Amino acid sequence: MRRKLVAGNWKMNGSADSIRGLLQGIREGAAAVAGVELAVFPPFVYLGLVEQQLSGTPIAWGTQNLSEHAAGAYTGEVAGPMLCDFHCAYVIVGHSERRTLYGESDQIVARKFAAARKAGLKPILCVGETLAEREQGVTEAVVERQLEAVLDLEGIGAFADAVIAYEPVWAIGTGRNATPQQAQDVHAFIRSKLADLDPTVASQTRILYGGSMKAANAAELLAMPDIDGGLVGGASLEAKEFLAIAKAGC
Ligand code: PEP
């Protein structure tokens, strides 16, 4: 049985004050959505604050990115072992904004996935097609290519405790979510690719949906058999909305 995970990607938003308020709201409402795992992903500089506010609660935290290297002369980068100092559980790798704005190739993403695991962090691997790719009918080929880069480097065993997030690029931050059936079809495809290699791992891997998920559409998305939670951007910046999404998954 896969426990649903609702993860809030705060992107480059927030201040110490706003984050204190947001976390207080999430902490207060967490007990009511205990059936679902919650996790938040602040900007790096607020990790200490998040750790301080969430230690001892059931809410997990992590970051939106990490370096593929463990240490060294990489100005401006943050390494996996550093994230462990702040007791992060997860790290997002391959978010479409990293792929498109910062030129992260499938191979770089795969190396980041490996670096996360080496540090003892659970990677959340984001995959998904652009609107042009969907219209060309190559959604499955794109997702398969993104997945294979990681499978080639790390093998199927690496997915036993990793998470995958299917995030159609055309749905991120646009207010236009994939329909439950569109998302389910891709989630089932991803699971079938994992099952070709190891059916047990495939049945355990959580596959989240991301792309304009909000309280109003969460219940029907989360009701689909292969949707195991959500990676939520904009709607995770308000405690009430974030908790309502989680409630829909209970
Ligand atoms: C995201 O950034 O991962 C995301 C899904 O954003 P939004 O929910 O705002 O579309």
Side-chain angles (χ1 to χ4, degrees), residues 9 11 95 97 126 167 171-175 209-213 231-235:
N9 174 14
K11 310 195 188 193
H95 190 280
E97 286 152 19
C126 299
E167 298 209 301
I172 297 178
T174 58
Y209 167 77
S212 299
M213 191 185 247
L231 181 53
V232 184

Side-chain angles (χ1 to χ4, degrees), residues 113 117 123 125 144 147-164 189-207:
F113 184 102
R117 291 191 65 242
L125 170 68
E144 186 172 9
L147 202 54
E148 268 174 3
V150 178
L151 285 166
D152 286 349
L153 189 68
E154 287 286 273
I156 182 68
F159 283 89
D161 62 358
V163 177
I164 296 172
F189 172 75
I190 292 170
R191 203 177 302 285
S192 77
K193 287 285 129 197
L194 300 180
D196 287 347
L197 299 169
D198 188 326
T200 307
V201 169
S203 70
Q204 290 165 351
T205 307
R206 289 183 292 183
I207 308 175

Side-chain angles (χ1 to χ4, degrees), residues 7-85:
N9 174 14
W10 295 350
K11 310 195 188 193
M12 199 175 72
N13 292 298
S15 64
D17 271 356
S18 72
I19 286 172
R20 267 191 210 97
L22 177 55
L23 290 175
Q24 187 183 343
I26 296 173
R27 274 198 326 258
E28 285 169 2
V33 296
V36 168
E37 183 182 0
L38 297 176
V40 296
F41 295 80
F44 286 121
V45 293
Y46 297 119
L47 261 188
L49 173 61
V50 169
E51 182 189 23
Q52 184 195 61
Q53 300 280 311
L54 295 184
S55 288
T57 76
I59 306 159
W61 60 92
T63 60
Q64 304 163 19
N65 184 29
L66 86 169
S67 170
E68 64 185 271
H69 305 287
Y74 301 103
T75 301
E77 292 288 282
V78 177
M82 297 171 181
L83 305 183
C84 295
D85 278 345

Side-chain angles (χ1 to χ4, degrees), residues 167-185:
E167 298 209 301
V169 179
W170 47 272
I172 297 178
T174 58
R176 176 185 170 192
N177 61 287
T179 65
Q181 195 56 54
Q182 282 174 323
Q184 166 60 26
D185 289 348

